[in-house]
Each structure stands twice: as C-alpha cells, then as structure tokens.
Amino acid sequence: MVELKTDTSIDAMHEAGQVVARALTAVRDAADVGVSLLELDEVAHGVLREAGATSPFLGYRPSFAPTPFPAVICASVNNAIVHGIPTRYRLRDGDLLSVDCGAQLNGWAGDSAISFTVGRPRPADVRLIETAERALAAGIAAAVVGNRVGDIAHAIGTVCRRAGYGVPDGFGGHGIGRRMHEDPPVPNDGRPGRGLPLRHGMVLAIEPMLIASGHDGYHAAPDGWTLRTDDGSRAAHAEHTVAITDAGPRILTERR
C-alpha cells in the first residue's frame, strides 16, 4: 500500500534527506587514494551521530541477505553495482566508487547515492557517471502528478539504453517514508503510461544503476550482499529521494 505524505511530513523527510546529503558530501571529500572503505563508513557514521540520526542500513536484513548489513553506507567499487560492504580495501588511483547512504531522523527516512572517481579519472568512467546523473535527472523530471511510475522507468531506461549502457533487471527505486523501503517499486526501465498513477504526497527513491558494457547481467558476490557485473565491467549508481507535489518534483536529498 502506498502512503501519501502530508506537506508537513515531506518537510520532515527533507530534514532526514539533508543529513544524508551531508554524509555523502563528507564521504566524497574524504575519499582519496589509500583511504579504506571502513574509514569512509566511519566518516558517514560521524555525520549521522552529530545530527542525532540513525542508519536504516545498519543491521538491515532483507529476505535475500545471509547476514544483517554491517555498515551505514554501501561502498561499491569498480565492477560492484550496489550493496557493497565497506571493508579494509584501500582506494586505488582510478577506482570508481559508488556510495549509497540512508538516515532515519525523527521517524522519517532519507536515501541517496553518488558515484565518483578517485585519483586520475578514466574518460569512460566519467561518461558513465555523467550518464547515471542524466538518467536520474530524467527520472526526476518525469516524477510529476498525472504521470505514472512507468513514465519514470521509461525516462531512466531511455537515457541509459541510448548511451549504450546496461540496466540490471530487478533492481531499482522504491517508495520511502517511515521505512526506507515502501511501495511502490520504481523500475529503471519500462514502458511509459504503465503502473501506478503519481499523486501529490508520494515520495520515491529514484535510483538508476548502469553497467558500462551494455550487458544487463549481474551476480551476487560471496558476501551475499554485493552485486557485481557478470562481465567485470564497471558500474555507476545515482539516487535521490524525491517528493511528488502539485508544484513539481521536490528533491529531498539535494546536496548543497
């Protein structure tokens, strides 16, 4: 069931979203060659603690997971698409890092993700990340009252496919509110004019995931969490929490 949020609730979700935005900015600022993923997780954890927020990631265990998630960020490096567990791995020159972070504040959740390169960027990685951001922007632009969930999916998929990138099937965005994952699911590819109508008060986490090779295949790593590309090609992930309002889409996790 989809819960429509009041304008007051959306304002409260914006506060949670801004904690996420600050955490991602801090992580990106701290990421450098030689820095470990665990150190970046502690940076994000510090931002959450300072804001009086908790992490909806830490201890989260969906049905597919063999163990609860052990961190406050997902840190996915190079051929990891999403759900990477922070480890002692130290970033290397040219790595592509995707970071997903959530926050729970005063009973409301926020969720956002960024991808960026560390050290000297590869031109192909820059193009991949820029396309992920364009796909996210296209999905947000389609998140208007009167459209349908399929219009968001189609907008995202069109940008990704036209650029020659793959889109992992079965993974995409979701509703968000009191809990990090709520109805409805928001696919990253699909037909326009299909799915649930978009109404004022719906809040969605819109999150394109792109595979550089153009193939859609992926598999779970031995840790049971990390999703990796089947062919070893690189991946990028971008996400914002977005409220659908009569005045247009409102990005609740926008980074200042």
Side-chain angles (χ1 to χ4, degrees), residues 37-62:
L37 302 181
L38 279 174
E39 288 169 339
L40 295 181
D41 185 67
E42 182 51 39
V43 167
H45 209 162
V47 173
L48 267 61
R49 283 193 297 262
E50 183 178 357
T54 59
S55 170
F57 289 18
L58 185 62
Y60 179 60
R61 188 177 185 181

Side-chain angles (χ1 to χ4, degrees), residues 8-125:
T8 300
S9 296
I10 291 172
D11 287 342
M13 291 189 70
H14 179 258
E15 294 301 314
Q18 288 306 293
V19 175
V20 177
R22 293 197 298 273
L24 288 175
T25 297
V27 167
R28 182 167 189 165
D29 288 347
D32 203 352
V33 174
V35 176
S36 76
L37 302 181
L38 279 174
E39 288 169 339
L40 295 181
D41 185 67
E42 182 51 39
V43 167
H45 209 162
V47 173
L48 267 61
R49 283 193 297 262
E50 183 178 357
T54 59
S55 170
F57 289 18
L58 185 62
Y60 179 60
R61 188 177 185 181
S63 58
F64 68 80
T67 57
F69 196 76
V72 304
I73 62 169
C74 297
S76 305
V77 181
N78 295 334
N79 68 345
I81 306 169
V82 286
H83 301 165
I85 294 176
T87 64
R88 292 186 176 87
Y89 176 85
R90 294 193 176 276
L91 293 167
R92 301 171 183 171
D93 187 43
D95 276 348
L96 193 167
L97 177 62
S98 298
V99 180
D100 194 350
C101 184
Q104 198 89 24
L105 182 68
N106 298 323
W108 295 101
D111 189 9
S112 184
I114 55 173
S115 292
F116 55 91
T117 56
V118 177
R120 290 168 293 183
R122 300 182 183 184
D125 290 344

Side-chain angles (χ1 to χ4, degrees), residues 173-231:
H174 49 88
I176 183 170
R178 292 284 184 184
R179 292 173 292 111
M180 181 172 60
H181 290 122
E182 297 183 352
D183 289 331
V186 184
N188 285 328
D189 202 4
R191 290 183 170 185
R194 302 285 184 94
L196 198 69
L198 303 180
R199 299 171 58 190
H200 179 91
M202 291 175 67
V203 183
L204 306 174
I206 300 173
E207 50 178 323
M209 306 162 194
L210 287 65
I211 298 175
S213 66
H215 298 295
D216 297 349
Y218 60 88
H219 62 275
D223 63 26
W225 275 99
T226 309
L227 295 183
R228 296 193 179 277
T229 61
D230 276 350
D231 57 8

